[in-house]
Amino acid sequence: MRPLARLLALLLFLFAVTAVAQATVGVDPVARLYTATPGQTITQVLNIYNPNPSEQKLRVVAYLTDMNVSEIGETEFPPAGTVKESSAAWTTFTPAEIELGGEETKQVRYTIQVPADATPGTHWAMLMFEAQEPAAIPGKTLASFRLRVAHTIYVNVQPTKADGSITGIFDSLPQNETGNYQIAVQYTNTGNAVTGVKGRVELRDADGNLAATLPLSLVVALPNRTVLLKSAWGGPVPKGQYSALVILNNGDKNKDILGEHVVTLPFDLKPPATTADPESNGANSAPSGPAKTGGKP
């Protein structure tokens, strides 16, 4: 597995849900990943805080939801118990409602009771904290706000196994000389554990010379689901045919996951113009479809 701190930092970016408003509410820590055995009990204390110096108090209501991520990286929060890997039914918390003054912090405690017959693999739930303006009066207040932040709970019930493969490579050619070549790699998590996946694309010309290395940033891959890792290549780049070698790693230090794709640029790519239309970079052109993929070395 990747270092826990890096994975949780990514979870903060992907799964902490907020709404724009004049006030905010925070939770610390934003995510936890536990290793457990069937029948084990886990307890965690969260700090819920209002960082604003305002004298106005915030009413914060806590509740559980599930979480799912689509193939294109869109995060959804269906009702608790919807996702088959949900741990919401295992989780209780107290208090269910708090009130926070300016720059005030209070604690919420939750307990996870892992069932004796729990299925091995990663189970998860989201403990949401929704802040509301206490002064809002239904039917009378013209405008009020609600915002929420999530604490992500992952429980790895042993034994777990990280496994996966590249199941597609898609690309989009630039529509003009100042556009970007865009590539997306589809990774399918075939293991039973949540993993962090990252990598790179090595582009080589017809002579085998390394033309560019495109980073594929770390993403979270849920069990039995796919994710897309994306990157782009801009000018100056000569036209011609290139070979793209995709190299991914899901935390296994002993082996990488490989895939191959052929790239054909129809014209020379120039450096992007500073006044270029953002729609002109080829992002809206149709992908070419899945490419040949390789296995693990």
Side-chain angles (χ1 to χ4, degrees), residues 10-250:
L10 180 64
L11 296 177
L12 167 62
F13 176 75
L14 291 179
F15 304 141
V17 182
T18 58
V20 178
Q22 294 180 340
T24 57
V25 63
V27 58
D28 180 36
V30 297
R32 287 298 302 266
L33 175 62
Y34 302 99
T35 298
T37 56
Q40 184 175 346
T41 300
I42 301 168
T43 299
Q44 172 70 35
V45 175
L46 302 176
N47 292 314
I48 313 301
Y49 59 92
N50 177 5
N52 305 285
S54 172
E55 295 181 0
Q56 185 179 26
K57 292 187 175 182
L58 293 177
R59 175 175 173 262
V60 181
V61 177
Y63 56 93
L64 289 162
T65 74
D66 279 351
M67 178 270 295
N68 210 358
V69 179
S70 72
E71 294 183 2
I72 59 174
E74 294 180 343
T75 306
E76 301 174 330
F77 303 96
T82 302
V83 177
K84 68 177 182 178
E85 300 94 342
S86 175
S87 62
W90 309 351
T91 308
T92 58
F93 57 90
T94 185
E97 183 177 320
I98 59 176
E99 205 170 74
L100 292 175
E103 300 182 328
E104 184 178 9
T105 298
K106 291 186 178 180
Q107 292 186 330
V108 170
R109 180 186 301 269
Y110 68 82
T111 299
I112 304 167
Q113 181 60 61
V114 182
D117 59 351
T119 304
T122 303
H123 300 259
W124 61 86
M126 309 290 287
L127 184 51
M128 293 285 187
F129 297 94
E130 184 175 293
Q132 304 172 4
E133 183 182 4
I137 302 175
K140 294 185 179 181
T141 304
L142 294 179
S144 63
F145 65 84
R146 289 188 177 187
L147 58 110
R148 63 180 181 173
V149 64
H151 172 76
T152 310
I153 304 169
Y154 286 97
V155 182
N156 278 348
V157 179
Q158 298 303 300
T160 59
K161 179 183 179 180
D163 199 5
S165 62
I166 296 172
T167 50
I169 302 175
F170 310 89
D171 65 4
S172 177
L173 295 176
Q175 296 180 343
N176 55 53
E177 295 179 338
T178 57
N180 287 333
Y181 169 79
Q182 308 210 10
I183 188 168
V185 180
Q186 184 182 60
Y187 172 83
T188 299
N189 184 348
T190 56
N192 67 354
V194 62
T195 61
V197 183
K198 64 179 297 186
R200 66 187 186 276
V201 179
E202 294 183 355
L203 291 161
R204 297 183 181 274
D205 61 22
D207 296 324
N209 300 312
L210 183 64
T213 299
L214 310 182
L216 298 170
S217 299
L218 182 69
V219 299
V220 172
L222 297 175
N224 303 307
R225 290 163 177 79
T226 63
V227 292
L228 285 179
L229 297 90
K230 302 177 183 180
S231 196
W233 190 25
V237 179
K239 68 178 180 180
Q241 183 170 293
Y242 295 84
S243 174
L245 174 63
V246 178
I247 305 171
L248 297 184
N249 189 274
N250 62 3

Side-chain angles (χ1 to χ4, degrees), residues 240-284:
Q241 183 170 293
Y242 295 84
S243 174
L245 174 63
V246 178
I247 305 171
L248 297 184
N249 189 274
N250 62 3
D252 190 331
K253 296 180 180 180
N254 298 318
K255 57 185 175 183
D256 291 323
I257 304 167
L258 306 180
E260 292 179 295
H261 187 60
V262 175
V263 180
T264 302
L265 296 179
F267 43 72
D268 294 341
L269 296 185
K270 298 179 180 179
T274 55
T275 58
D277 185 343
E279 294 293 332
S280 65
N281 62 1
N284 294 328

